[in-house]
Amino acid sequence: GTLLVLLVLLAALVWALTLRGRLRAGLVALALLAGGWSAWVLGPHLFFEAPAPTAQTADTRWASWSPARQQELLASGRTIFVDYTAAWCVTCQYNKQTTLADKSLLAEFDAKQVVMLRADWTRRDPAITAALGQLGRNGVPVYVFYRTGRAPLVLSEVLGAGEVRRALASL
């Protein structure tokens, strides 16, 4: 976020330099002042890493997805919900913070004993790419219920709690 602010201010400065007349001088001065102030206030944040999540904040509900793990769970008769996601995917992050963080909905997953797997496609994992291709998809987000002996149930990209509840009720 800090780097983005500084880059936007740099873009504003470059834009201001393309103008003509007295407006140019005023906007260049304003952009330089804003950039200097932002660099002074936000600059230290560019060089410090965010603290690692602690055990209290780590989400232990989700297990990492792999083709082998998925097949193992299906072979044992378990129902699986897979969140095909990526760190750079805005819709994925929105769904994680809203629908997939809904405590009552998560309680319904627990009641149905659904195993929740997260397939992180941030670095374009070939196994995840292949799994997405089998679903007829070529990007994320994709949300799927897998059940032994049944076709995968693919949900919409902007995930709503009502849609997930209906899917859970049909299991």
Side-chain angles (χ1 to χ4, degrees):
T2 302
L3 183 59
L4 179 62
V5 169
L6 294 174
L7 289 173
V8 167
L9 288 170
L10 178 62
L13 175 63
V14 170
W15 171 76
L17 288 170
T18 66
L19 299 175
R20 299 188 187 280
R22 290 183 6 203
L23 182 60
R24 174 184 175 173
L27 288 176
V28 167
L30 182 63
L32 285 172
L33 284 171
W37 179 82
S38 296
W40 180 65
V41 170
L42 301 174
H45 298 287
L46 286 172
F47 304 106
F48 295 107
E49 290 185 30
T54 63
Q56 295 173 337
T57 61
D59 189 355
T60 57
R61 171 180 304 280
W62 294 92
S64 292
W65 176 92
S66 73
R69 178 76 174 134
Q70 179 174 321
Q71 290 309 315
E72 173 189 319
L73 289 166
L74 287 174
S76 68
R78 299 295 305 266
T79 299
I80 307 165
F81 178 77
V82 179
D83 170 12
Y84 294 95
T85 187
W88 43 259
C89 170
V90 176
T91 306
C92 302
Q93 302 312 313
Y94 173 79
N95 289 333
K96 282 180 198 172
Q97 297 299 317
T98 57
T99 304
L100 296 176
D102 182 316
K103 290 184 190 310
S104 65
L105 186 60
L106 294 173
E108 291 181 44
F109 273 95
D110 293 342
K112 293 278 191 169
Q113 298 180 340
V114 175
V115 177
M116 300 174 80
L117 301 179
R118 187 159 276 151
D120 187 351
W121 200 49
T122 301
R123 295 195 174 126
R124 308 281 181 156
D125 180 309
I128 296 172
T129 303
L132 290 170
Q134 290 173 353
L135 295 167
R137 303 293 177 98
N138 60 7
V140 292
V142 176
Y143 304 99
V144 185
F145 281 101
Y146 290 98
R147 296 155 298 179
T148 305
R150 298 172 95 181
L153 175 59
V154 180
L155 304 179
S156 65
E157 292 170 0
V158 178
L159 204 54
E163 177 185 14
V164 177
R165 281 192 174 93
R166 286 188 297 278
L168 282 166
S170 73
L171 298 178

